[in-house]
Amino acid sequence: MVSIQSKGEKATRQGFSDALVELGEENPNVVVLGADVSGSVKVDAFAKAYPDRFISVGVAEADMMGVSAGLALVGKIPFASTYGEFAAGRPFDQIRQSIAYSEMPVKICASHCGITVGPDGATHQSLEDVALMRVLPHMTVISPCDYLETKRAVKESLSITKGPVYIRFFRDNTPMFTDEATPFQIGKANTLIDGTDITIIAAGLQVWEAIQAAEMLQAKKISARVINMHTIKPLDREVILKAAKETGAIVTAEDHQIHCGLGSAVSEYLAQTLPTVQEFVAVRDTFGESGKGVELMKKYGIARDDIVKAAKRALKRKKGRRGEKAS
Amino acid sequence: MVSIQSKGEKATRQGFSDALVELGEENPNVVVLGADVSGSVKVDAFAKAYPDRFISVGVAEADMMGVSAGLALVGKIPFASTYGEFAAGRPFDQIRQSIAYSEMPVKICASHCGITVGPDGATHQSLEDVALMRVLPHMTVISPCDYLETKRAVKESLSITKGPVYIRFFRDNTPMFTDEATPFQIGKANTLIDGTDITIIAAGLQVWEAIQAAEMLQAKKISARVINMHTIKPLDREVILKAAKETGAIVTAEDHQIHCGLGSAVSEYLAQTLPTVQEFVAVRDTFGESGKGVELMKKYGIARDDIVKAAKRALKRKKGRRGEKAS
Amino acid sequence: MRGTDHQKLSIADLKEMARQIRRDIIKMLMISKSGHSGGPLGLADIFASLYFNILKYDPQNPTWPGRDYFFLSAGHLAPVWYVTLARAGFYPLSEMSTLRKINTRLQGHPAPGYTHGLPGVEIASGALGQGMSIAVGATIGLRMDQKPNHVYVLHGDGELDEGQVWEGLMTASHYNLDNLTAIVDRNFCQIDERTEKVMKLEPLADKWRSFGWNVIECDGNRIEEFLGAMQEARNFKGKPSVLIARTFMGKGVSFMEDDYRWHGVPPSEEQGKQALSELEPTKFGDFVMFEWEKEVPEVVK
Amino acid sequence: MRGTDHQKLSIADLKEMARQIRRDIIKMLMISKSGHSGGPLGLADIFASLYFNILKYDPQNPTWPGRDYFFLSAGHLAPVWYVTLARAGFYPLSEMSTLRKINTRLQGHPAPGYTHGLPGVEIASGALGQGMSIAVGATIGLRMDQKPNHVYVLHGDGELDEGQVWEGLMTASHYNLDNLTAIVDRNFCQIDERTEKVMKLEPLADKWRSFGWNVIECDGNRIEEFLGAMQEARNFKGKPSVLIARTFMGKGVSFMEDDYRWHGVPPSEEQGKQALSELEPTKFGDFVMFEWEKEVPEVVK
Ligand SMILES: Cc1ncc(C[n+]2csc(CCOP(=O)(O)OP(=O)(O)O)c2C)c(N)n1
Ligand SMILES: Cc1ncc(C[n+]2csc(CCOP(=O)(O)OP(=O)(O)O)c2C)c(N)n1
Ligand SMILES: [Mg+2]
Ligand SMILES: [Mg+2]
């Protein structure tokens, strides 16, 4: 197993910020909308560089989505930014009608997602946003794994010229382990580690946890494949089916509710193709609370140890299924 | 197979309406909120009978949810009513924080759900609401199958004194096939038809379609079990596991997007217990359009014929899996 | 080509056109047997004015970059818009009979262009309260490119209960969007009851003024007055303008007038006949003749 | 027992208490190293007035049916509320040092009672804009039962950008809820910049008036004036009242005053020391003494 190294730490939201500044330079139609959290979500750099293309709408996320739709309609490429909870849940119906149904190429940029946002507590811990965005037709949902991948996802999102994109990222500094050589293509998952006993499919910050878990499993002679499912919609079905066939057991890992997220997407698909033993590492249908990101990952069961435990459960269940073949 | 008969037709929303009037009589703390669609969702009967306990909030669904939370806080039992799209999606963040996280016993009553609402078209066809409500902790989600079951669900919802309930119903007149003798308990699914080859798990209007499909399958010597999964959250896991074990193949049927709905809930659960062949009858990740309910059910693939076809696909896949045992 | 120029009608013809639009609405709804009568009938004068005097557009090239942008925020008012678009040449008159039927471009609420969309419809509406924000976004975007296009958005009065409208109003004022004109269909009716009973809106003009708008009150059923108010709005600089246009729900049909119960129902066959008998035929001609209209009365034979 | 009666402080003591609240906020945030300084400091005078003069409550019985209801709509202002609740006896002073730590009842934003909830907190807040609707619902419910309890809701000014607030305002006026008093923390600051730059709110009093409210403008950092305005609000009948209370973000700490950049950050150790040196100790005593406070300066030894 090739070991994957972190080359320092940076926040995924910084990747968003840096991408925006580059895009601003490259494309005069790129505009950015802020709902009074510009420093936190780091669109302040764009606002400073291109003040005429930054639009403050105040604390009014519903309005922001409508304004974005109007901008897209007249040829602008709007990036609407705020915290995850207020990017997906607060303006859901506006996203649905004015953006998704109307196929407006709006980029919905959601920072501070997941329970790992920490001390702000439950009201600010967006654990339902993947569900909300995934259920919408015409929506692309991307959850990049580190600084660079976020940057690339944001830049790559320009290639989607019809219909919206939802990009989910996080507040804290986290390990940087992808580089320019790492493939990145929307809708195409990356297999980071090859493995034969079990597959861990992860998104966002959970990818790094999955890598660590795979190393811990390796120490116990368990060969775990690790897939970075950065695009949650459309799902890379091929890579999932292959993993299910070749390893026969799946663990999914995400900083999201256990229902309707990445794990759910994988189980929906496999039920329709190749029903496979799967364990879910996710927040177990409960609201979060204040605390440090790492403390909460442990308390709410989405840390690397939980992935390891889930893998063991899955392996045990896999052994229990005798002689199954693909249907 | 016992054949299940329809005893005439009535709208599920009428069941809601009739239950409210009875509840108003029985419990002086029951209050009803309307967001300017009172006639359509049939809370006008309650408003007429108990004008002092009917609160019009105008076309302001976010406000309605907050007002409901405040009423619940001072001891009232609020039923907040509007169309599904505006009951779940429009005020999502308000439901999340002021109601679900705050565990307020608000009854969220969503009429005109699903694609079968018909001529109003996509903006009014709530196909994402089960996803939105199911992903919220502390939420109970009920989708009754006919007039009487809706009435009973609404009345029974009073038994939930902590946390909200979401009740989903429909506009059109539909067959009445349950009676007072039919068991109804929140969280406890009803097996309407026993069967050994395959299980159809349905909710809402799809239950009647499932019954018809089972009869069509019966004619082809296929024994289909039919389960009315009126409570989508919490899910009756026992009955699902039993069906998976005994029939080895599942079809789920719902008037909802294919993602994150009832089918998704079933696949999530089975992936974690007994991975089982499953086919989804649901709207296939697209927005709806205007048309008659029955026309749309056909065009969007959620009619009885589609259930029959799905059952055949599932059976074929089941045969393809050799010698599998429960894990 | 600028549609407006070749379509501009005289005041007399605008009135005739408004009546034709009302006839079309009635016939359309008699065929669809589903849809909204009251609001659309009340808006016939405004839509005739908009499409045959005010707006710049090219029906042959609906996305002509020089066009004015018109957003119907209250999507349930679609019938009056659809009828007007047909009369303005955006699509064939005969297609009006497909309202709300499966596969139609005349969706129950306006659909975006890419699927069932109708030429002239810019974006979806139907879930109330979203149009102002969209109009604000379009106006800001056009201004960024120094484009002179004017943006119009039409709201129902009941629709103003939605908080998002007030968010949009604030933003429009914050950016001094004087290229934006809003119209409020002030018919004092919404679904459940009269507006002041469902949710008090008065003093409505004060509300808009306090949100930074230039407010013009006018009679939305008097074409000359409406056109004048529109002119005033377009001339006003430094602030967005709103026309609070007093209209009557169901205007033109005696038994519907000013009655909120006509918000969302189509006329029955009998009611439709009665309505048509009250709305004299015009020189523009109906888009469809019903069987019973062709019958020559017994006595004449 | 009615908490208010035994807790009512003299004006001089209210001022002393406000200063203590400010000291507590600083210390609390120095410990948590996360949370909001600016808004909470600006509100110390208002919270001292509310909990030691105005509100009826019983700290031993937080759900006492006779209590006034207080809703903090802008949940990020929690530190000033938490500190005041401790000072009013709702929970132990020492617990203030648990702000934002795992398993605490002092959640980053107010949590409902059933899990991490603090006595005195009625419902969750944090996602802005939701408190007015809740207050309206509670007021309507209380009125249905002919209960005299008064309902208070506090909003940030930036928070007023949210459309839901205006929906709630309309509803409050529609039902003439004169048992409801709103307070707007008018500090002209929000996260990104000063309010009028982020999203223009002026003429703010006109906005509320046009939405049917009785508007009272006052200085929220002058306790006598605030108490008088509150009295006026409670005496006013037929309409809900709002106090637009001018405050200064960071009030009491020279380097924070009126600076929006202090919206959401805690003071560093150095800044905290400086702040405490500007806020003289009070007779109520601090809830914690830091090590460095116990050190006797060299020279004195
Ligand atoms: C968000 C939302 N809530 C509710 C509805 C249902 N609805 C359609 S029209 C309408 C009344 C609107 O009143 P108004 O704008 O005055 O229109 P009018 O009745 O005058 O035609 C309502 C509540 C909707 N379409 N969207
Ligand atoms: C719905 C929502 N959107 C955004 C935020 C992030 N947020 C927290 S406080 C704040 C600024 C509020 O300004 P104001 O109410 O004036 O509070 P002050 O800065 O004066 O403390 C924002 C945007 C939030 N908490 N909720
Ligand atoms: Mg109206
Ligand atoms: Mg402020």
Side-chain angles (χ1 to χ4, degrees):
Chain A
M1 192 178 100
V2 224
S3 142
I4 294 173
Q5 301 297 333
S6 158
K7 306 155 201 84
E9 299 210 333
K10 239 187 206 176
T12 48
R13 60 179 164 148
Q14 188 62 49
F16 166 59
S17 180
D18 293 350
L20 279 188
V21 173
E22 290 183 17
L23 283 173
E25 171 79 35
E26 290 161 26
N27 191 322
N29 282 324
V30 166
V31 297
V32 176
L33 294 97
D36 196 28
V37 286
S38 300
S40 302
V41 307
K42 292 190 172 288
V43 294
D44 47 355
F46 182 96
K48 212 173 157 195
Y50 313 100
D52 297 344
R53 288 191 269 147
F54 177 76
I55 300 158
S56 162
V57 295
V59 197
E61 296 80 7
D63 187 45
M64 177 164 68
M65 293 307 163
V67 172
S68 298
L71 285 160
L73 191 73
V74 298
K76 298 294 162 192
I77 306 168
F79 287 75
S81 70
T82 183
Y83 298 161
E85 184 54 32
F86 314 130
R90 188 64 167 241
F92 178 83
D93 195 45
Q94 286 79 16
I95 294 175
R96 182 183 192 268
Q97 172 169 293
S98 297
I99 296 179
Y101 179 45
S102 295
E103 285 211 280
M104 290 295 150
V106 173
K107 324 298 174 194
I108 303 168
C109 304
S111 183
H112 291 56
C113 287
I115 201 164
T116 46
V117 76
D120 276 334
T123 56
H124 284 56
Q125 289 162 350
S126 178
L127 292 171
E128 300 83 20
D129 57 312
V130 171
L132 271 61
M133 295 296 103
R134 186 166 88 77
V135 75
L136 280 176
H138 305 159
M139 184 64 75
T140 297
V141 181
I142 310 180
S143 176
C145 67
D146 70 355
Y147 163 82
L148 183 65
E149 195 168 81
T150 307
K151 191 172 166 192
R152 295 167 87 187
V154 171
K155 296 198 74 173
E156 196 56 43
S157 73
L158 249 68
S159 67
I160 298 174
T161 55
K162 237 186 164 188
V165 183
Y166 180 81
I167 310 176
R168 178 181 214 240
F169 41 89
F170 305 88
R171 195 189 60 182
D172 286 353
N173 284 341
T174 50
M176 297 189 285
F177 55 94
T178 71
D179 56 33
E180 292 294 344
T182 316
F184 179 77
Q185 197 189 323
I186 294 172
K188 203 103 204 75
N190 283 347
T191 303
L192 298 179
I193 300 176
D194 246 318
T196 49
D197 296 327
I198 189 158
T199 301
I200 308 170
I201 304 177
L205 300 190
Q206 255 37 42
V207 176
W208 180 249
E209 296 302 305
I211 293 167
Q212 301 315 305
E215 295 196 351
M216 288 156 76
L217 289 164
Q218 181 67 24
K220 284 166 183 150
K221 305 270 176 291
I222 298 167
S223 162
R225 182 177 301 188
V226 175
I227 295 173
N228 170 14
M229 189 63 70
H230 50 70
T231 309
I232 297 178
K233 187 179 186 179
L235 205 59
D236 186 341
R237 298 170 170 206
E238 225 170 277
V239 77
I240 296 173
L241 188 58
K242 188 160 173 279
K245 276 188 186 147
E246 294 176 0
T247 70
I250 307 264
V251 171
T252 49
E254 60 197 306
D255 188 356
H256 188 271
Q257 295 290 359
I258 191 166
H259 297 307
C260 308
L262 168 65
S264 173
V266 169
S267 74
E268 286 171 12
Y269 171 63
L270 288 175
Q272 294 173 75
T273 48
L274 179 64
T276 303
V277 162
Q278 184 183 342
E279 293 287 323
F280 289 59
V281 174
V283 176
R284 304 194 85 79
D285 197 23
T286 156
F287 289 106
E289 64 172 289
S290 291
K292 295 200 187 107
V294 280
E295 289 170 342
L296 295 170
M297 277 174 78
K298 287 210 175 110
K299 179 162 176 181
Y300 288 83
I302 59 166
R304 57 195 69 170
D305 287 344
D306 301 292
I307 299 177
V308 169
K309 276 183 223 150
K312 288 184 186 163
R313 284 199 307 273
L315 280 170
K316 205 169 148 197
R317 288 177 52 209
K318 173 180 156 184
K319 283 199 195 109
R321 303 174 94 202
R322 280 153 294 176
E324 181 189 357
K325 283 274 148 60
S327 69
Chain B
M1 194 179 98
V2 225
S3 138
I4 294 173
Q5 301 297 334
S6 159
K7 307 154 201 85
E9 298 211 333
K10 238 187 205 176
T12 48
R13 60 179 164 149
Q14 187 62 49
F16 166 59
S17 180
D18 293 350
L20 279 188
V21 173
E22 289 183 17
L23 283 173
E25 171 78 35
E26 290 160 25
N27 191 322
N29 282 323
V30 166
V31 297
V32 175
L33 294 97
D36 196 27
V37 287
S38 301
S40 304
V41 307
K42 293 192 171 286
V43 294
D44 47 356
F46 181 96
K48 210 171 159 198
Y50 313 100
D52 296 344
R53 287 191 270 148
F54 177 75
I55 300 158
S56 163
V57 296
V59 197
E61 296 80 6
D63 187 45
M64 176 164 70
M65 294 307 163
V67 172
S68 298
L71 284 160
L73 191 72
V74 298
K76 299 293 163 192
I77 306 168
F79 287 74
S81 69
T82 184
Y83 298 159
E85 185 53 33
F86 314 129
R90 187 66 166 238
F92 178 83
D93 195 44
Q94 286 81 15
I95 295 175
R96 182 184 192 267
Q97 171 169 292
S98 296
I99 296 178
Y101 178 45
S102 296
E103 285 212 278
M104 290 295 152
V106 173
K107 323 299 174 193
I108 303 168
C109 304
S111 184
H112 291 55
C113 288
I115 202 164
T116 45
V117 76
D120 275 335
T123 56
H124 284 57
Q125 290 162 350
S126 179
L127 293 171
E128 299 82 20
D129 57 312
V130 171
L132 270 61
M133 294 296 103
R134 185 166 89 78
V135 74
L136 280 177
H138 305 159
M139 184 66 76
T140 297
V141 181
I142 309 180
S143 176
C145 66
D146 70 355
Y147 163 82
L148 183 64
E149 195 168 83
T150 308
K151 189 172 166 192
R152 295 166 87 188
V154 172
K155 295 198 73 172
E156 197 57 43
S157 73
L158 249 68
S159 67
I160 297 173
T161 54
K162 237 184 166 192
V165 182
Y166 180 81
I167 310 176
R168 178 181 214 240
F169 41 89
F170 303 88
R171 194 189 61 181
D172 286 353
N173 284 340
T174 49
M176 296 189 284
F177 55 94
T178 71
D179 55 34
E180 292 293 345
T182 316
F184 179 77
Q185 197 188 323
I186 294 171
K188 203 103 202 77
N190 283 346
T191 301
L192 298 179
I193 300 176
D194 246 317
T196 49
D197 297 327
I198 189 160
T199 302
I200 308 170
I201 303 177
L205 300 190
Q206 254 38 40
V207 176
W208 180 249
E209 296 301 306
I211 293 167
Q212 302 315 304
E215 295 195 352
M216 289 156 76
L217 289 164
Q218 182 66 25
K220 283 165 185 151
K221 305 270 177 290
I222 298 167
S223 162
R225 182 176 303 186
V226 175
I227 295 174
N228 171 14
M229 190 63 70
H230 51 69
T231 309
I232 297 178
K233 185 178 186 179
L235 204 60
D236 186 341
R237 298 171 169 205
E238 225 169 277
V239 79
I240 297 173
L241 188 58
K242 188 160 174 279
K245 276 186 185 149
E246 293 176 1
T247 70
I250 308 263
V251 171
T252 47
E254 60 197 306
D255 188 356
H256 188 271
Q257 295 290 0
I258 191 165
H259 297 307
C260 307
L262 169 65
S264 173
V266 169
S267 74
E268 286 172 11
Y269 171 63
L270 287 175
Q272 294 173 75
T273 48
L274 180 62
T276 303
V277 161
Q278 183 183 341
E279 292 287 323
F280 289 60
V281 175
V283 176
R284 305 192 85 76
D285 198 23
T286 156
F287 288 107
E289 64 173 287
S290 290
K292 295 199 186 108
V294 280
E295 288 171 342
L296 295 170
M297 276 174 80
K298 287 209 175 109
K299 179 163 176 181
Y300 288 83
I302 60 165
R304 58 196 68 172
D305 287 345
D306 301 292
I307 298 177
V308 169
K309 275 183 225 149
K312 288 185 187 162
R313 283 198 308 274
L315 280 170
K316 205 169 148 198
R317 287 177 54 208
K318 173 179 154 183
K319 282 199 195 112
R321 303 174 97 202
R322 281 154 292 175
E324 182 189 357
K325 283 274 149 55
S327 69
Chain C
M1 188 184 70
R2 286 172 38 166
T4 307
D5 299 340
H6 81 110
Q7 299 254 14
K8 245 179 192 166
L9 298 184
S10 69
I11 298 285
D13 276 358
L14 282 175
K15 288 182 182 171
E16 181 104 352
M17 180 57 85
R19 201 167 70 251
Q20 186 56 52
I21 289 173
R22 289 192 164 92
R23 286 186 63 85
D24 288 347
I25 291 171
I26 295 293
K27 288 201 167 182
M28 190 183 217
L29 291 171
M30 287 173 76
I31 297 168
S32 68
K33 298 190 175 66
S34 166
H36 299 74
S37 305
L41 286 169
L43 285 165
D45 309 296
I46 288 179
F47 274 78
S49 304
L50 285 171
Y51 277 84
F52 296 98
N53 181 293
I54 296 166
L55 295 181
K56 290 183 192 155
Y57 59 87
D58 177 357
Q60 258 67 60
N61 181 12
T63 57
W64 171 51
R67 74 190 180 282
D68 288 334
Y69 285 81
F70 174 75
F71 298 105
L72 180 68
S73 184
H76 67 281
L77 301 169
V80 67
W81 195 18
Y82 291 164
V83 160
T84 309
L85 287 172
R87 291 287 165 188
F90 281 87
Y91 70 99
L93 292 180
S94 60
E95 202 173 328
M96 281 195 257
S97 57
T98 66
L99 178 73
R100 290 180 165 242
K101 293 191 177 149
I102 198 155
N103 298 323
T104 183
R105 299 195 288 180
L106 275 59
Q107 291 290 304
H109 295 81
Y114 70 97
T115 46
H116 303 287
L118 204 58
V121 173
E122 306 275 359
I123 197 166
S125 61
L128 293 169
Q130 304 193 22
M132 176 57 70
S133 304
I134 293 166
V136 167
T139 311
I140 292 175
L142 291 164
R143 192 169 68 177
M144 279 179 175
D145 295 342
Q146 281 97 42
K147 291 193 184 147
N149 317 48
H150 206 91
V151 178
Y152 298 88
V153 56
L154 192 145
H155 288 284
D157 50 0
E159 187 187 14
L160 303 181
D161 298 348
E162 285 287 353
Q164 190 193 350
V165 178
W166 301 94
E167 294 179 356
L169 251 65
M170 260 198 223
T171 310
S173 159
H174 186 69
Y175 289 103
N176 307 313
L177 301 180
D178 52 16
N179 258 17
L180 171 63
T181 302
I183 303 164
V184 172
D185 176 30
R186 188 65 172 123
N187 61 10
F188 286 88
C189 290
Q190 57 194 107
I191 296 184
D192 277 1
E193 247 288 1
R194 296 185 69 80
T195 56
E196 304 312 283
K197 218 169 156 192
V198 175
M199 182 50 60
K200 191 175 63 182
L201 286 171
E202 290 300 325
L204 185 57
D206 283 356
K207 284 190 173 63
W208 284 74
R209 258 191 294 270
S210 72
F211 273 70
W213 284 61
N214 173 44
V215 177
I216 304 168
E217 295 178 270
C218 69
D219 186 333
N221 290 131
R222 292 194 53 230
I223 286 174
E224 298 92 325
E225 191 176 326
F226 181 76
L227 292 178
M230 268 293 188
Q231 194 57 51
E232 194 185 327
R234 273 198 313 280
N235 290 344
F236 191 91
K237 294 295 161 217
K239 280 182 184 185
S241 290
V242 58
L243 270 68
I244 300 183
R246 178 62 168 110
T247 68
F248 285 89
M249 186 171 261
K251 178 82 182 177
V253 177
S254 60
F255 57 90
M256 295 187 182
E257 259 180 42
D258 207 20
D259 185 347
Y260 68 87
R261 287 169 302 181
W262 279 99
H263 159 91
V265 280
S268 68
E269 171 107 15
E270 228 25 71
Q271 290 165 330
K273 283 183 184 172
Q274 172 67 26
L276 289 172
S277 79
E278 294 182 16
L279 295 161
E280 243 177 80
T282 78
K283 65 174 178 185
F284 300 109
D286 289 356
F287 73 92
V288 67
M289 293 302 275
F290 294 129
E291 276 311 309
W292 53 264
E293 288 181 292
K294 295 171 196 159
E295 279 165 22
V296 185
E298 271 319 308
V299 285
V300 182
K301 257 193 219 162
Chain D
M1 189 184 66
R2 286 171 39 165
T4 308
D5 300 339
H6 81 109
Q7 299 255 15
K8 244 177 195 167
L9 298 184
S10 68
I11 298 285
D13 277 359
L14 283 175
K15 288 183 181 171
E16 182 105 351
M17 180 58 85
R19 200 166 72 251
Q20 185 58 50
I21 290 173
R22 290 193 164 93
R23 285 185 64 86
D24 289 347
I25 291 171
I26 296 292
K27 287 200 166 184
M28 191 184 216
L29 291 171
M30 286 174 75
I31 297 168
S32 67
K33 297 190 177 65
S34 166
H36 299 75
S37 306
L41 286 169
L43 285 166
D45 308 296
I46 288 179
F47 273 78
S49 304
L50 285 171
Y51 278 85
F52 296 97
N53 182 292
I54 296 166
L55 295 180
K56 291 182 191 156
Y57 59 88
D58 176 357
Q60 258 68 60
N61 182 13
T63 57
W64 171 50
R67 74 190 181 281
D68 289 333
Y69 285 81
F70 174 75
F71 298 104
L72 180 68
S73 184
H76 68 280
L77 301 169
V80 67
W81 196 17
Y82 292 163
V83 160
T84 310
L85 287 172
R87 291 287 165 189
F90 282 87
Y91 72 98
L93 293 180
S94 60
E95 203 174 327
M96 282 194 255
S97 57
T98 67
L99 178 73
R100 289 180 166 243
K101 293 193 177 147
I102 197 154
N103 298 323
T104 183
R105 299 196 289 181
L106 276 58
Q107 291 289 305
H109 295 82
Y114 70 96
T115 46
H116 302 287
L118 204 59
V121 173
E122 306 275 0
I123 197 166
S125 61
L128 293 170
Q130 304 193 21
M132 176 58 71
S133 304
I134 292 165
V136 166
T139 312
I140 292 175
L142 291 164
R143 192 169 68 177
M144 279 179 175
D145 296 341
Q146 281 99 44
K147 289 191 186 149
N149 317 47
H150 206 91
V151 178
Y152 298 88
V153 56
L154 192 145
H155 287 285
D157 50 0
E159 187 186 13
L160 304 180
D161 299 348
E162 286 287 354
Q164 190 194 349
V165 178
W166 301 95
E167 294 179 353
L169 250 66
M170 260 198 222
T171 310
S173 158
H174 186 71
Y175 290 102
N176 307 313
L177 301 179
D178 51 16
N179 258 17
L180 171 62
T181 302
I183 303 164
V184 172
D185 177 29
R186 188 64 171 124
N187 61 11
F188 286 87
C189 290
Q190 57 194 107
I191 296 183
D192 277 1
E193 247 287 2
R194 297 187 68 82
T195 56
E196 304 311 284
K197 220 170 154 190
V198 175
M199 181 52 59
K200 191 175 61 180
L201 286 172
E202 290 300 325
L204 185 58
D206 284 356
K207 284 189 172 65
W208 284 74
R209 258 190 294 269
S210 72
F211 273 69
W213 284 60
N214 174 44
V215 177
I216 303 168
E217 295 179 90
C218 70
D219 185 333
N221 290 131
R222 293 193 54 228
I223 286 176
E224 298 92 325
E225 190 177 326
F226 180 77
L227 292 177
M230 269 295 189
Q231 194 57 52
E232 194 185 327
R234 274 198 312 279
N235 290 343
F236 192 91
K237 293 296 161 214
K239 280 182 183 183
S241 290
V242 58
L243 271 67
I244 300 183
R246 178 63 167 108
T247 68
F248 285 88
M249 187 171 261
K251 179 79 181 177
V253 177
S254 60
F255 57 91
M256 295 188 181
E257 259 180 42
D258 207 20
D259 184 347
Y260 69 88
R261 286 170 301 181
W262 278 99
H263 159 90
V265 280
S268 67
E269 171 109 13
E270 226 29 67
Q271 291 166 327
K273 282 182 185 173
Q274 171 69 25
L276 290 172
S277 80
E278 295 182 15
L279 295 160
E280 243 176 80
T282 79
K283 66 174 178 184
F284 300 109
D286 289 355
F287 73 93
V288 67
M289 293 300 276
F290 294 128
E291 276 311 308
W292 53 264
E293 288 181 290
K294 295 171 194 157
E295 278 165 23
V296 185
E298 274 316 310
V299 283
V300 183
K301 254 191 216 161

